[in-house]
Amino acid sequence: MSRIDLHLHSTHSDGSLRPSDVLRLAEKARVTALAITDHDITSGLPEAMSAGEELGIEVIPGVEISSFDGRSELHILGYCLDWKDPLLNERLGTLRASRHRRNPLIIERLRAAGLDVTYEEVRALAGTESVGRPHIAQLLMQKKYVSTAKEAFDRYLAEGKAAYVARELPPPDEAIRWIREAKGVAVLAHPTWVKTSGEGLRTCVTELKEAGLGGVEVHYSTHSKSQTASYLDLAQRLGLLITGGSDFHGVTKPDIEVGSGRGDLRVHPRLLAPLKEAAARL
Ligand code: AMP
Ligand code: FE
Ligand code: FE
Ligand code: ZN
């Protein structure tokens, strides 16, 4: 049964596998097309594309940008964008810089809690400019302070926990504009992160559409059947594209596999053409 996967992370942000290794897993999972959507960075795309050519998998250029609407942290995926665009990459660079301002503050809090960790260790482990909390979680795992990334988030790193520090994030309309100006289609990732439901969710997504949003990630590893149905209904009512992906990260989300998520994810290949057509119209 062929499938696609439009949400995957690699070592270029907080995933634990190189782009070419993600592609190899995709081939095994019979994924025919995919998007590498690293946080705030496009540097993994050349390796993904050459691996895609080798393995006969179509690689859609992608990125995932975190934003904050005053209430919820919203992640905006960008697809089919001109990923070499200098202005886009300069803008993504400002987001990575905000990570480097925030992460040492998280480390300070962990040290205050008695954990022997430094930001240099995190940066060495990450090996990329897009350093995120999952890298800190990985260091805590390596040092045996926790046994899983989930435990690191639950005990220290999640919102409201002792080492949580908020990051300066752009509003979602700005993230959408950056993607649009790079000729990409902007899609709301994992809509469960929107901290309102029902009418509030519809209002939020309607406003995002007015700002240029093109689609909603209806199919996602952790969505229940009823969540998938309600996001599908919302996307259809608002005339937005339907996308989907696993949000594979490797070791920091060990229950999620490329292509199949927690086992029951299947993003149909027919969703790809409308996305590419929308991008071609921009
Ligand atoms: P950051 O980009 O540094 O704010 O870190 C957020 C990232 O951490 C998300 O994009 C997820 O990849 C990851 N994440 C968030 N919550 C958890 C969790 N409970 N367990 C594992 N990874 C998580
Ligand atoms: Fe992530
Ligand atoms: Fe995300
Ligand atoms: Zn993601």
Side-chain angles (χ1 to χ4, degrees):
M1 203 162 58
S2 76
R3 55 180 87 223
I4 63 175
D5 190 337
L6 300 177
H7 192 160
L8 296 156
H9 294 272
S10 80
T11 45
H12 288 257
S13 67
D14 56 12
S16 61
L17 294 187
R18 297 174 57 87
S20 52
D21 292 326
V22 175
L23 269 281
R24 270 185 267 282
L25 289 182
E27 186 196 26
K28 281 199 195 123
R30 301 177 66 182
V31 168
T32 55
L34 60 77
I36 299 286
T37 53
D38 275 312
H39 299 284
D40 307 338
I41 200 160
T42 59
S43 59
L45 297 177
E47 182 181 316
M49 285 172 181
S50 55
E53 263 172 45
E54 215 174 279
L55 299 171
I57 296 174
E58 182 174 1
V59 176
I60 306 296
V63 72
E64 182 174 19
I65 300 179
S66 311
S67 72
F68 186 67
D69 73 353
R71 183 173 189 169
S72 314
E73 185 173 327
L74 304 181
H75 289 185
I76 309 293
L77 294 157
Y79 291 118
C80 308
L81 71 186
D82 181 3
W83 58 277
K84 293 182 183 167
D85 180 70
L87 181 58
L88 171 74
N89 286 291
E90 186 190 314
R91 287 165 163 168
L92 297 179
T94 65
L95 300 180
R96 298 195 296 272
S98 90
R99 294 179 171 278
H100 295 307
R101 284 192 291 279
R102 170 212 214 182
N103 292 332
L105 303 174
I106 297 177
I107 297 297
E108 261 176 46
R109 294 190 177 205
L110 290 170
R111 293 181 66 85
L115 281 67
D116 176 22
V117 286
T118 66
Y119 192 39
E120 286 63 44
E121 290 173 311
V122 178
R123 293 207 60 167
L125 174 151
T128 170
E129 278 304 300
S130 185
V131 183
R133 282 178 286 164
H135 295 118
I136 301 174
Q138 261 178 280
L139 183 65
L140 298 188
M141 284 161 72
Q142 276 183 14
K143 295 203 161 189
K144 311 266 188 250
Y145 288 119
V146 295
S147 48
T148 62
K150 185 181 182 304
E151 189 189 343
F153 275 87
D154 290 347
R155 281 176 64 185
Y156 302 107
L157 302 173
E159 198 179 334
K161 303 297 161 144
Y164 179 75
V165 178
R167 177 156 77 95
E168 310 136 57
L169 293 173
D173 50 333
E174 202 160 311
I176 291 168
R177 184 168 61 82
W178 293 358
I179 291 164
R180 291 287 298 252
E181 287 181 7
K183 303 262 178 289
V185 179
V187 170
L188 176 65
H190 39 69
T192 52
W193 284 34
V194 180
K195 286 181 182 164
T196 53
S197 54
E199 202 49 46
L201 174 69
R202 192 191 302 201
T203 305
C204 169
V205 178
T206 302
E207 285 171 8
L208 295 176
K209 185 188 172 185
E210 281 159 12
L213 189 80
V216 174
E217 190 174 49
V218 167
H219 305 282
Y220 187 73
S221 294
T222 63
H223 284 174
S224 65
K225 280 211 169 77
S226 74
Q227 284 173 325
T228 304
S230 89
Y231 299 134
L232 180 64
D233 179 65
L234 180 66
Q236 286 172 336
R237 278 171 196 262
L238 295 179
L240 290 164
L241 294 162
I242 298 151
T243 73
S246 63
D247 208 0
F248 173 83
H249 280 71
V251 293
T252 54
K253 292 186 183 178
D255 56 332
I256 290 171
E257 306 224 22
V258 174
S260 58
R262 286 181 172 164
D264 55 358
L265 181 73
R266 185 191 177 210
V267 185
H268 202 283
R270 69 168 171 261
L271 298 179
L272 191 57
L275 182 65
K276 285 160 63 176
E277 284 157 19
R281 285 195 297 269
L282 291 173

